[in-house]
Amino acid sequence: MFPVARAALSLTARGVQRPAVRQAHRKHEPNFHDQYGNLVLLGGAAVFAAVWGYVFTGVGMEWGLSPVGRVTPKEWRE
C-alpha cells in the first residue's frame, strides 16, 4: 500500500473512532422515537385500517362478482 493511502486511511479511521468512543461513555438519553415511537406506529396503523375500512365498506364496491354469463349484447340497430 502506498504511504499516502495508508496515511489517509489512518486519518479517516481516527476521525471515526473518536466520536464512537465519546458516544460509548455517554448515558443514553431517550429521544422522540424512544418516547413516542410505538404510539405513532399504532396511530398510523389505526388510521390506515380506518381509511381502508371505509374504502372497502363505504364506497359500495361489490367484490368478486363477475359479469360473465350475465351480460348479454344488445341487438344491433341499423
Side-chain angles (χ1 to χ4, degrees), residues 10-71:
S10 69
L11 283 177
T12 56
R14 271 192 231 131
V16 171
Q17 286 171 354
R18 280 190 201 124
V21 169
R22 213 175 300 135
Q23 289 176 358
H25 295 291
R26 270 193 328 181
K27 278 184 153 179
H28 177 70
E29 299 170 0
N31 59 11
F32 176 82
H33 300 287
D34 293 331
Q35 290 180 348
Y36 303 109
N38 291 333
L39 187 64
V40 170
L41 182 66
L42 291 175
V47 169
F48 177 85
V51 167
W52 281 109
Y54 172 76
V55 167
F56 287 141
T57 60
V59 176
M61 292 182 185
E62 296 179 5
W63 297 95
L65 299 176
S66 174
V68 174
R70 283 188 277 157
V71 176

Side-chain angles (χ1 to χ4, degrees), residues 1-12:
M1 186 182 278
F2 296 110
V4 174
R6 188 179 308 141
L9 285 176
S10 69
L11 283 177
T12 56

